[in-house]
């Protein structure tokens, strides 16, 4: 083999600076990392939940249910829930976990606002009914009003 400078290299030897990286080879995708070493980024062992893809929840049912509580925030929660599934399919488990956490936060906010709104509506209806029944009615007979 001839290098760019015209010097011959013995067959089977590599030029200095080339070859496998120092510190050993990283574990191939899908293989567990050797004991005591962190799993490579993007490998199933490096994701939250210890490698179980179902450990990252998408909260889609809760997000859809929030439409009846506070629909403005619920729409964003549904979009974040869809992002969780997209990131899981791409293998980007860190982004999927972040989107899952955002979905849970949005659903919690929509539930609290919707619950308080329902409670205030019930109190307002009770107040209106009590006010309507306690109002006395006057009737006029002839010229006596």
């Amino acid at each position: 083999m001839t290098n760019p400078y015209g010097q011959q290299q013995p067959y089977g030897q590599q030029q200095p600076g080339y070859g496998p990286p120092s510190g050993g080879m990283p574990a191939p995708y899908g293989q567990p990392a050797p004991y005591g070493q962190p799993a490579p980024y993007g490998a199933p062992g490096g994701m939250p939940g210890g490698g179980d893809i179902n450990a990252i929840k998408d909260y889609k049912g809760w997000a859809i249910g929030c439409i009846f509580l506070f629909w403005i925030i619920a729409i964003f929660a549904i979009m974040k829930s869809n992002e969780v599934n997209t990131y899981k399919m791409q293998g980007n488990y860190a982004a999927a976990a972040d989107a899952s956490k955002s979905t849970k936060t949005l659903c919690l906010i929509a539930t609290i606002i919707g619950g308080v709104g329902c409670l205030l509506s019930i109190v307002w209806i009770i107040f209106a009914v009590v006010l309507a029944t306690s109002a006395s009615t006057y009737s006029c007979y002839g010229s006596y009003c």
Side-chain angles (χ1 to χ4, degrees):
M1 169 159 62
T2 308
N3 67 17
Y5 302 108
Q7 300 168 345
Q8 287 284 56
Q9 288 282 345
Y11 184 75
Q13 292 184 359
Q14 293 182 346
Q15 295 178 354
Y18 295 102
S22 61
M25 295 292 291
Y29 182 76
Q31 298 294 322
Y35 181 73
Q37 294 183 3
Y41 180 75
M47 64 182 255
D52 184 18
I53 194 169
N54 295 324
I56 303 173
K57 297 181 182 179
D58 61 358
Y59 299 106
K60 189 173 290 276
W62 190 8
I64 291 171
C66 287
I67 286 184
F68 299 107
L69 298 173
F70 196 67
W71 65 271
I72 296 170
I73 295 178
I75 290 172
F76 291 106
I78 292 170
M79 291 186 328
K80 276 293 183 183
S81 176
N82 290 334
E83 285 182 17
V84 172
N85 291 329
T86 302
Y87 288 137
K88 284 193 322 188
M89 286 189 284
Q90 292 174 351
N92 191 352
Y93 301 118
D98 288 342
S100 175
K101 190 175 181 181
S102 297
T103 303
K104 184 177 180 182
T105 303
L106 288 171
C107 287
L108 190 61
I109 290 170
T111 301
I112 290 171
I113 291 174
V116 168
C118 288
L119 184 67
L120 288 176
S121 297
I122 290 171
V123 168
W124 182 77
I125 289 171
I126 291 172
F127 181 73
V129 167
V130 167
L131 212 69
T133 57
S134 66
S136 60
T137 58
Y138 295 101
S139 60
C140 294
Y141 295 108
S143 61
Y144 302 107
C145 289

